[in-house]
Amino acid sequence: MTEKLELLEKHRSFDGTQLKYRHYSKILGCDMTFSLFLPNREKFEAPPLIWWLSGLTCTDDNFTHKAGAQKRAAELGLAMLMPDTSPRGNSVADDTDWDLGQGASFYVNATQSPWARNYQMYDYVVTELTKIAREEFGLTGPESIMGHSMGGHGALVIGLRNPGRFRSISTFAPIVNPTEVPWGVKAFNAYLGVDQESWSKWDATKLLAEHDGTQTPMLIDQGTGDSFYNSQLQPEKLADIATSKNSPLTLRMQDGYDHSYYFIASFIDEHLDFHQKYL
């Protein structure tokens, strides 16, 4: 058990610093890791913060190693915080399937056994890790949030459920309507139970439909070559609701791109530029 922050890695990167920490999460009841990129604090004393939420099977390392975001973040003076995607450890509930359990939290607060004991990822991000970012690193300024796939779902849900906190939201190939697609239905049945009424607050399309009309700017990039596009993602559902609600959402279809980090790396600078406009 790691009560205090334990520095695992520190790398100089594009005039900034890439860090990785371990700590014990009281909310999740296990040790957790997170990664943090800080721009040069002599140049950018109080940098805005962008959260990145990763997708199924990923850890905080996927984004830091593959997205290539550090160069542009350093230029713009942006801090980036990357949590892991779920609680982990021998005592944490898991499943033999890759799309449930460790690495597949869906960023919800689970209510069903055995998941409820540890799978409180929404509270972990919104409260516990937020407190660490503010108190340990002085990241008390404006925030935005972004993510990929399951993490895109998480970014949309956290952003929509906390109006006024995030200046902007962006996603790559997000699961926008998890209550209606196989990945989400499987996870929500396990984590939240069979009462589908309780699922609505974890579904971006339902949250946006219930809003009077959020004015938080949103950007979605979706590859047309993504094998999950039709069966699991369907971003047009959210875009249509945004249009009806007069909410500022831009959906960009990127020809031929798939679901991988090659896709993310191709457009990550544009997403950081998008957030910078509002930060």
Side-chain angles (χ1 to χ4, degrees), residues 40-258:
N40 187 329
R41 296 300 285 268
E42 293 182 1
K43 294 181 180 178
F44 305 100
E45 184 177 348
L49 175 62
I50 297 180
W51 293 78
W52 171 269
L53 304 184
S54 290
L56 288 164
T57 75
C58 291
T59 70
D60 48 307
D61 288 335
N62 292 77
F63 181 80
T64 60
H65 293 181
K66 296 180 179 181
Q70 289 90 345
K71 184 175 187 292
R72 191 64 179 142
E75 293 169 348
L76 297 174
L78 300 172
M80 299 184 298
L81 180 56
M82 290 70 69
D84 198 352
T85 53
S86 79
R88 296 184 189 269
N90 293 333
S91 64
V92 174
D94 200 6
D95 193 88
T96 55
D97 289 342
W98 61 272
D99 54 356
L100 188 67
Q102 295 186 32
S105 73
F106 273 78
Y107 301 97
V108 302
N109 288 338
T111 59
Q112 304 300 300
S113 179
W115 312 102
R117 178 173 174 268
N118 301 106
Y119 285 72
Q120 305 295 314
M121 280 295 291
Y122 176 87
D123 282 350
Y124 172 68
V125 171
V126 172
T127 60
E128 188 173 14
L129 198 51
T130 294
K131 183 178 180 181
I132 290 173
R134 293 173 179 173
E135 294 184 358
E136 299 292 336
F137 301 101
L139 298 171
T140 58
E143 300 171 275
S144 291
I145 191 167
M146 59 180 179
H148 170 230
S149 193
M150 177 189 74
H153 143 76
L156 288 164
V157 167
I158 290 172
L160 291 171
R161 287 185 59 172
N162 294 272
R165 173 170 171 179
F166 300 97
R167 300 286 182 86
S168 50
I169 304 167
S170 78
T171 61
F172 293 85
I175 305 169
V176 302
N177 189 199
T179 61
E180 300 292 340
V181 299
W183 278 341
V185 170
K186 178 179 180 177
F188 285 11
N189 265 302
Y191 300 146
L192 305 174
V194 297
D195 178 13
Q196 296 190 11
E197 287 296 317
S198 68
W199 298 5
S200 296
K201 64 182 179 181
W202 306 108
D203 185 307
T205 61
K206 296 184 182 300
L207 288 169
L208 190 59
E210 293 168 1
H211 270 270
D212 291 334
T214 180
Q215 292 307 302
T216 304
M218 293 178 281
L219 171 64
I220 296 176
D221 269 338
Q222 173 64 59
T224 63
D226 189 328
S227 60
F228 302 117
Y229 169 40
N230 290 316
S231 61
Q232 305 280 10
L233 307 175
Q234 305 167 9
E236 296 90 348
K237 288 184 176 180
L238 191 67
D240 288 345
I241 294 171
T243 298
S244 71
K245 291 286 186 176
N246 235 9
S247 295
L249 186 152
T250 299
L251 171 60
R252 308 191 307 186
M253 301 302 298
Q254 304 292 2
D255 188 37
Y257 286 88
D258 60 19

Side-chain angles (χ1 to χ4, degrees), residues 9-26:
E9 296 183 28
K10 182 178 181 180
H11 309 284
R12 192 73 176 159
S13 180
F14 296 104
D15 196 33
T17 307
Q18 182 65 59
L19 303 154
K20 184 181 177 74
Y21 288 92
R22 178 164 53 218
H23 74 110
Y24 179 75
S25 166
K26 293 181 179 179

